[in-house]
Amino acid sequence: MKFLNITHIFFLHAIMCQVFLPPLFAQDGLFAPKKSVPILKAPKPKSLQEAKELFIKNYADIAGATSKSCLDQAIALEKAIKAFLRKPSNETHRLAKISWINARFPYLQGEVFRMKLIADTDGKINGWPVRPGIIDYTQNDSSAGLIQNSERLPSITKDSIIKMNLSSGKEQIILGYHVIEFLLWGEDNGIVGSGDRSFKDYVKSENNSAERRAQFLMNCTEILINDLENEVSEWKSGNKNNRSGRLQAMPVDDAIALILERISQLSSSISSSQIDSIIVDGSKFTEQSTYSDTTHFDFLHSIAGISNLFAGAYVGLDGKIKVLGLGLMGLAEEINVINSDDLRSIMNNAMRASQNFKGPFDILSSKDKKNQLYLDTKNSVTELSDALKPLTSVVNDLGKSLK
């Protein structure tokens, strides 16, 4: 399998990781600007009630900034895909893949904002696992997929794709990030590495389905942007009927309980559903970002989203602070039951463990359990899972203490 050359992505990854290390916790006042820049500080609440209100408002502000960053990166992805389809080559193909990876970072950091309060659009945006043969050819069937079946899908448009998505059950996912991922990388048939789709799949003179494949890719990207635009509008302030307005209209304790429940669900899901259930002998292997082989980024940035809430800050991919306010650390400092130092330590351990796991996740599907790469990967994800369990527990305890 071919590996994507994403050196500068890993450089960006290193920068982003530093955002969440202890010196950058907003509640500690330790954002370390140059001497000529005023020190940024989160507001100091005068009471527990005010702390709760500030935390909820800041949660909505971070959600808004994250969703805006997510949309911006998706628009950048669209531009890269248009450039690729205009002139398919190894280079334009590579740049489109890098743009997809970039686009995932803020989306993953926004996972912590997807809760019961929200109408479920995630199946359209982040649905997985994607079954390759439903969409395009596979190693075992060169004529498979809607792209190559003009009788089943005569016209490839946004409306026709949306209509057919999930039409035959949960397994028929034909739009969202992971469909775009599959259309860029292709089927992943190896134990280690990403899919190896050639750019020639999009060259009309080389492939009879190139035009329909390009239409499918472009329409899926445009649908994604439309859905992300809706998410941005849901977090705009001043609207009583969107997510931000409904959350802030709730009794403060109910709103915080909902937020903490989502943090707990996300942490537990990564630990139990996406790691523990996979490393048990005889279990069925599933991987979220399997075609690009970037599931390690899924873990890292989902946990980074939780860390943003602990810190009360959001830093964009450009390295600039977009939001700074009262985070979970600041709220915990107002509650005698919870030791904020313990909370900080638990969050930092989870971030370090997520940084230490660098993939490849799909080696866990190997039948050779004595393979050194398999053993190293299993140890890394086990460490991550073990670090998330106390995070889930302490968030649950914090929720109980607020009742």
Side-chain angles (χ1 to χ4, degrees), residues 17 36 69 80 102 111 114-115 130 149-150 158 163 186 215 220 227 244 248-249 262 265 277-278 346 351 354 370 384:
C17 287
S36 59
S69 180
N102 272 331
E111 289 275 48
R114 295 174 178 92
M115 56 178 71
V130 171
N149 190 336
S150 58
K158 288 192 283 290
K163 184 177 180 180
Q215 290 172 352
C220 281
D227 289 337
S244 178
Q248 294 184 72
R262 178 53 187 156
Q265 286 174 345
S277 64
I278 299 300
I346 289 169
M351 274 308 304
S354 67
K370 295 181 180 180
L384 175 55

Side-chain angles (χ1 to χ4, degrees), residues 19 28 44 78 94 132 164 187 197 206 208 232 239 307 338 351 370 378 400:
V19 170
D28 294 340
K44 181 64 178 175
E78 180 186 37
R94 184 181 71 87
M164 290 197 72
E187 191 179 18
R197 184 189 292 278
E206 299 273 354
N208 293 332
V232 170
N239 185 341
S307 185
I338 300 293
M351 274 308 304
K370 295 181 180 180
K378 185 176 181 180
K400 292 175 184 176

Side-chain angles (χ1 to χ4, degrees), residues 214-232:
Q215 290 172 352
F216 209 104
L217 175 58
M218 199 67 246
N219 277 288
C220 281
T221 305
E222 290 173 0
I223 293 168
L224 176 66
I225 288 174
N226 291 340
D227 289 337
L228 294 177
E229 285 173 341
N230 291 335
E231 286 213 340
V232 170

Side-chain angles (χ1 to χ4, degrees), residues 161-224:
I161 291 173
I162 291 170
K163 184 177 180 180
M164 290 197 72
N165 185 55
L166 303 178
S167 62
S168 298
K170 292 182 178 180
E171 291 191 353
Q172 185 161 301
I173 296 168
I174 62 169
L175 51 76
Y177 279 110
H178 296 294
V179 171
I180 296 170
E181 177 193 11
F182 167 63
L183 290 171
L184 287 173
W185 270 271
E187 191 179 18
D188 180 14
N189 294 306
I191 296 297
V192 177
S194 59
D196 60 357
R197 184 189 292 278
S198 169
F199 75 88
K200 293 180 180 179
D201 277 3
Y202 291 90
V203 177
K204 294 178 184 178
S205 62
E206 299 273 354
N207 192 292
N208 293 332
S209 298
E211 185 172 358
R212 282 175 60 87
R213 188 171 291 113
Q215 290 172 352
F216 209 104
L217 175 58
M218 199 67 246
N219 277 288
C220 281
T221 305
E222 290 173 0
I223 293 168
L224 176 66

Side-chain angles (χ1 to χ4, degrees), residues 268-316:
S268 178
S269 172
I270 295 171
S271 175
S272 300
S273 301
Q274 297 187 53
I275 296 178
D276 291 354
S277 64
I278 299 300
I279 59 179
V280 175
D281 288 342
S283 62
K284 181 181 179 181
F285 180 81
T286 56
E287 179 183 12
Q288 184 171 170
S289 297
T290 181
Y291 307 111
S292 61
D293 201 28
T294 57
T295 296
H296 53 298
F297 283 149
D298 294 343
F299 295 157
L300 171 62
H301 286 277
S302 293
I303 296 164
I306 297 175
S307 185
N308 291 347
L309 294 184
F310 272 63
Y314 177 67
V315 179

